[in-house]
Amino acid sequence: MLEVKDVNYWYQSKNDVLYDDINLTFDSGKLYGILGSSGSGKTTFLSLIAGLDVPKKGDILYDGKSMKKIGLTAYRNKYVSIVFQSYNLLPYMSAVDNILAALEITNSQRKDRKTYALEMLARVGITEDMAKKNVQHLSGGQQQRVAIVRAMCCDAQLVVADEPTGNLDEQNSQEIIKLFAELAHEQQKCVIVITHERDIANACDVVLELKNKKFNTIK
Amino acid sequence: MNFLKRAFYSTKAKVGRSLLLTFVFSAILIFILAGLTIQSASLTAAENAKKSMGATVTLSANMENAMKEMQENTRDGERPDPSSFSITPIDLDDVEKITALDNLSSYSLSSTTTVNAKSFDAISSEDSSDDSDTEQQGGPGGMQMPEMASQGDISISGTNATAKASSFTGGTAEIIDGVGITEADADSNKAVIETNLAEANDIAVGDTIKVKGDDKTYKLSVVGIYKSTEATDSRSMQMASLNPYNTIYTSYTFANKVKGSDYKNTADSVVFNVTDPEKMDDFVKAAEATGLDTDTYALTTNDQVYQQMVQPLDNVKSFANKIVILVAVAGTVILALIVMLTIRERKYEIGVLMSLGEKRSKIIAQFFTELVFVLVIALVVAGVSGQFVGNAVGKQLIEQQTTTQTTDTASNAQGGPGMGGGQGGGAPSGMPSGGGQGGPTMGGNMPQAADVQEQISDLDITLSMKELIELGGFGLGISFLAVIIASISIMRMKPKKILIS
């Protein structure tokens, strides 16, 4: 589904590359965990596969099509959903409106958008009353669940999450990782979670560790 | 949920920001609306001025050419003979051709002369010489007037209608009893005399008075009495015929009869009132094209009063234009700055939208829509209060302008004695009027300065749908420009930088 071909990236100088030409393949229906210490370049990697930036070298192919050819905006719009550590919800909207806005922007084919959004929110424990409240009135865990539901509801087959449990307690973290697993296994999406927590990584189907500019498969 | 809905939610959620924008936008729009309403009122007032004032074109003898002719007939080295100066009165056949032209509202014939009071006494000051029954040779300036050469104590102002005569239209003369001279009075001996002259001689409407021309006595039937408010000057103290009280209005045919048979079907000058001052030059061209002998006659235009009247309006309009432009530019800059600041605040939101794959153009459209929501409220606020501001500013401006204008006019008037003579430049003085001095007022049927000021101060500032639509257009333009300027930063934003950092 997603192929990373000879990808490399650098910020200041070409001599100071982040990776050792990465070659990876990600398939649908699996939950991937990417481990790595701070500053190892895992978030940069996420920004590359999420279409927030382009590799300085190599290419990323989605179903065989180059991301550069698809275009970053179109790629983000059609093929990928991103979940951030800081939730990144629209602060002036309710939970359900945040999801509806995402469905609108990504041109979701669903007709019963609101009902579907409320159902999905209910699945992650967000009641209808809570769903209609401004997101700023929800707790961190609830906001992250809303962000995950937003990714679940969109038609994109690739979901990337950057430290999705970074701001959550253990219980909430477990619930969130369970949701990601459901997303991968039930909706047959390709879910890539970037984390530095081994417990979270252990819940994934495949775990890759970024160390010394290289990705090593540890699970 | 499209960008319109997002804009609505954002505007609703950020009450403080929306209120600030509404306040700023309202202030900008109020000033623009004030400018627009003043502009529009100035235009309307100028249009009304055009309609009410018109302008005048005076047909008179070409004095310059007459003087040249006199000089050409003089031998080298000799002084020109003043008695050789002659000017030709205007043939009414020529006038008739011109009256058939378009853009003419009315015309006024003027034929003046002097006679001596016979059955009554002219008003005279103690200083004035008793020139009754005195015959003086030569007209003013030594000009020789054909056949007639006497200088009487009564001025005969022949006209086709007193209602069209400049002193009546200008407000310095007013019929207070009986009727005036009309077109139907041609070939009659009807007269309208001044009230002081009438009282001094116990003359009333219906009486008959006698005047003496060169060698003949004429009977005049008094049909009306008028009151003159024209100021007298030192000249009228010297010569009784120059005293406005001694002016008798008659039909122009009577004045011609007194002047002699050579003056039949002629006039000293004709003032044509043109309906549209802007078409005055076209009127002159058309008049010349009727076959008028421009060597003998001159057509002089006069829209001074109109220009005098519209000048303050033009100044106000120009000032209003500047207000509109300045406020629009300043408003755009201020709004752009505010939007830029809010965009900085909303960087995170922009990043979220970008991460969802929203196009930059739609994000900009959302911000534009938010400003349009604010604009609608600001339009209502400006619509309610703009008219009051427009009225206050407009009144202040017009007062300043008319004060300046009146001061200018007054100082101009003091500059030369000729200014008081009215605007038409009918210039009967010096005309072949049998030694006459011309009427007490000169030519054209133009209102006097006081009327002008009154009309200008009537600037009516009202708010119409046109101004509101214009204001909406300005508002949209300002919003668009402000968002475009502020969006430069959005175009340069990278979602990775916003979200990952």
Side-chain angles (χ1 to χ4, degrees), chain B residues 17-59:
Chain B
R17 185 190 68 202
S18 302
L19 277 177
L20 171 73
L21 279 171
T22 307
F23 178 75
V24 173
F25 222 155
S26 298
I28 292 166
L29 291 185
I30 284 169
F31 281 104
I32 291 179
L33 185 61
L36 287 176
T37 49
I38 294 168
Q39 242 181 2
S40 163
S42 307
L43 273 174
T44 313
E47 283 297 318
N48 290 340
K50 267 187 206 169
K51 283 177 198 161
S52 64
M53 304 293 298
T56 59
V57 175
T58 304
L59 175 64

Side-chain angles (χ1 to χ4, degrees), chain A residues 35-42 195-196 209-211:
Chain A
L35 275 171
S37 56
S38 295
S40 60
K42 54 184 190 303
T195 183
H196 62 271
E209 187 176 26
L210 179 57
K211 205 173 182 183

